[in-house]
Amino acid sequence: MKLRVTIVILLCAAFAVLGSVIAQDEPEASPPAEEGQPGVPSWERLQAVLPYMSSRVPEHRLQAERLIEAGADAHFDELVKVLPDQPRRGREVLLRVLANTQHEGRVLLCLETLCNREARRTERTIASRALKGVDADKLRSLIEERLAQPEIDIYQTIQCCTLLGTLSSARAQGVAEAVLEKAGGNSLLQFAAEDAVLRSTLASDFSQPAWSRYQERRPNAPKVTLAQLQTALDDLALPRATDRARAELTLSDIVGDDKRVLLALARSPWPERAAFALKRLEKDQSSELEHATQAVMLDLVMTSEQTIALMAMDVAIAGTPPTDDEMETLRPAISVDSEARLEAILEGMGRGSDLAELRSRSRKLEAKLRPLLRRRGAFDAEVRGLLNQLQTVQMQLAQVEARWENGWKREFETEILGTNPD
């Protein structure tokens, strides 16, 4: 009898606890239930479920997303109008839904997103991914209209050039060359326009005239035909590892020290080409196109998939932090988010730590020390003095490089990996 009473008491306690847990699992009201009859949800229903796109309850968010997807094509224009007013989480979900519709306005929406300096990485990756499958002529036409606007700024022009580089057509190359002619003295704008022409040329099988014009403009351009260069690029995707390694060596010899070709390949849609270029750029650091390299790496960090974005971050870390004057040049060409994060990294390093100067001092001391060490040995007084200087400089260099690298990882890595709590 006592055993039965104990069992009944335990069962009652278990049901009470279960009821409490169920009550806590529903902190928010559920979105309006979907109507039983088939068809497109009304605009009023979509307005009612929009707040649930930002819900922290997965069931509510998924149910709201299904309703929005069902009515996105029919109410596309209305949803675009309310898109900026949504909280960040809901805005990103809504943008993804709209970008994946078949509505003709999605191309313009993605273009507007990329031309918006305040767009975050998630929004930019959604727009970039969606534009890969759109009609090339439609995208080029919208880019031409945007470039023809009198109030267009440098950032929007550079973003338009970035997109022109994804279009493998003579018309797209002509539009980019027109921007190059009008670029004036802005070095970053000149680079962006020429980079667009070069990327479009490398992606097209019938662009030997454009490639020849590039070779005429740049004396250090690869001394091969476009077909030969494209064959070497195709060999990077060979199935055997030994063949790929041989292809990388061949391509390195062909490209030589042409940094523009490497930066163009870094944004290639083919991951093996982008990986080859990024590995070369990380090793071959030079002062040529330093601002352009930083701008390209920041663009890759904020728009590419995780693997390429992390490799671009490594290239940026291997580079030199921009000075205050260089930031003034770089600022109009990068997004607001990239600018804020880069400023935070520089502030964390401290204004007194000059990474470029420390690297230069270390190289000079090593060059001076090496022949003396061979001739006189390690016990010579002058050699010991130089060794002490080199050790001190290398310790300072290691500290500054660590702050530079940790700053990039702190500001960008969590954003790339998608672990940001916001």
Side-chain angles (χ1 to χ4, degrees):
M1 186 65 181
K2 290 182 179 179
L3 180 61
R4 292 180 181 177
V5 172
T6 303
I7 292 173
V8 170
I9 293 173
L10 290 174
L11 287 174
C12 292
F15 280 121
V17 171
L18 180 61
S20 174
V21 170
I22 293 174
Q24 290 177 1
D25 280 344
E26 297 293 336
E28 302 180 22
S30 299
E34 192 169 359
E35 294 176 2
Q37 71 273 19
V40 177
S42 65
W43 172 236
E44 287 73 21
R45 287 188 66 201
L46 296 189
Q47 284 181 302
V49 301
L50 274 175
Y52 296 95
M53 299 281 277
S54 305
S55 172
R56 294 189 178 274
V57 180
E59 293 82 1
H60 294 175
R61 189 168 63 251
L62 291 174
Q63 185 178 350
E65 188 174 343
R66 283 196 296 269
L67 281 170
I68 297 294
E69 286 176 348
D73 277 292
H75 304 288
F76 185 90
D77 294 331
E78 292 89 344
L79 289 170
V80 169
K81 291 178 181 177
V82 300
L83 179 63
D85 301 327
Q86 304 303 309
R88 180 183 170 188
R89 183 191 299 267
R91 187 172 68 248
E92 291 169 354
V93 176
L94 181 55
L95 177 62
R96 185 177 68 248
V97 171
L98 294 173
N100 291 329
T101 64
Q102 297 303 313
H103 195 278
E104 62 178 8
R106 74 190 185 104
V107 182
L108 179 59
L109 173 63
C110 293
L111 176 60
E112 295 282 356
T113 301
L114 291 173
C115 287
N116 180 10
R117 279 197 76 212
E118 297 184 0
R120 303 289 292 265
R121 170 177 159 80
T122 303
E123 297 169 287
R124 296 177 62 78
T125 51
I126 291 170
S128 299
R129 195 181 300 123
L131 286 177
K132 291 179 180 178
V134 303
D135 180 70
D137 290 333
K138 172 71 173 176
L139 178 57
R140 178 190 49 75
S141 176
L142 290 173
I143 291 173
E144 287 189 78
E145 292 177 9
R146 173 57 63 93
L147 289 172
Q149 295 178 0
E151 68 276 7
I152 188 170
D153 59 21
I154 293 176
Y155 180 79
Q156 295 181 37
T157 305
I158 289 176
Q159 291 302 309
C160 287
C161 289
T162 301
L163 289 173
L164 282 172
T166 65
L167 307 178
S168 56
S169 66
R171 181 64 183 271
Q173 295 160 21
V175 175
E177 287 182 340
V179 176
L180 178 60
E181 292 176 1
K182 300 176 181 177
N186 191 304
S187 59
L188 284 179
L189 191 54
Q190 288 175 343
F191 168 81
E194 188 169 23
D195 180 68
V197 177
L198 186 54
R199 289 166 56 214
S200 177
T201 300
L202 293 175
S204 176
D205 294 330
F206 307 102
S207 296
Q208 180 59 43
W211 175 247
S212 299
R213 290 194 296 272
Y214 173 74
Q215 290 175 314
E216 292 173 3
R217 286 196 304 268
R218 302 296 171 186
N220 64 334
K223 305 296 190 272
V224 295
T225 65
L226 180 61
Q228 290 171 326
L229 178 57
Q230 289 172 334
T231 300
L233 289 170
D234 292 339
D235 289 346
L236 292 175
L238 290 173
R240 295 198 310 174
T242 54
D243 293 334
R244 293 196 300 272
R246 191 178 300 111
E248 288 187 4
L249 291 174
T250 302
L251 188 57
S252 294
D253 292 337
I254 291 174
V255 174
D257 60 349
D258 191 342
K259 200 170 183 179
R260 294 176 190 275
V261 171
L262 291 175
L263 288 171
L265 292 175
R267 287 199 273 199
S268 171
W270 304 102
E272 66 275 1
R273 300 183 184 185
F276 163 79
L278 290 168
K279 285 187 289 186
R280 276 286 308 273
L281 288 167
E282 184 179 2
K283 293 177 182 178
D284 303 338
Q285 290 292 328
S286 64
S287 58
E288 183 190 10
L289 299 174
E290 196 167 5
H291 296 159
T293 301
Q294 285 284 353
V296 171
M297 293 309 115
L298 283 169
D299 181 68
L300 287 173
V301 164
M302 299 304 285
T303 57
S304 299
E305 304 299 334
Q306 285 185 358
T307 303
I308 299 301
L310 290 172
M311 292 184 71
M313 192 179 75
D314 291 336
V315 176
I317 290 171
T320 303
T323 63
D324 292 340
D325 292 337
E326 290 170 343
M327 275 299 297
E328 290 298 322
T329 304
L330 191 61
R331 189 171 287 113
I334 60 178
S335 67
V336 172
D337 191 32
S338 298
E339 177 191 345
R341 292 174 185 273
L342 192 54
E343 289 281 7
I345 296 172
L346 296 174
E347 201 65 37
M349 290 180 63
R351 297 299 180 181
S353 53
D354 191 336
L355 183 55
E357 195 270 339
L358 287 172
R359 285 174 175 171
S360 177
R361 283 175 58 191
S362 177
R363 287 193 297 267
K364 289 178 181 178
L365 285 171
E366 287 177 352
K368 186 177 180 180
L369 178 63
R370 195 175 293 113
L372 286 175
L373 189 59
R374 289 176 180 174
R375 291 198 308 266
R376 303 181 186 178
F379 295 99
D380 181 77
E382 185 179 359
V383 172
R384 287 202 305 271
L386 287 174
L387 282 171
N388 291 334
Q389 291 181 41
L390 180 60
Q391 185 179 12
T392 302
V393 170
Q394 287 182 339
M395 288 177 59
Q396 295 175 355
L397 179 60
Q399 293 174 358
V400 176
E401 285 184 332
R403 290 200 294 269
W404 175 238
E405 181 178 359
N406 292 335
W408 273 86
K409 290 182 177 179
R410 181 185 67 249
E411 294 294 334
F412 288 99
E413 193 171 55
T414 52
E415 183 82 8
I416 293 171
L417 297 176
T419 55
N420 232 357
D422 324 355

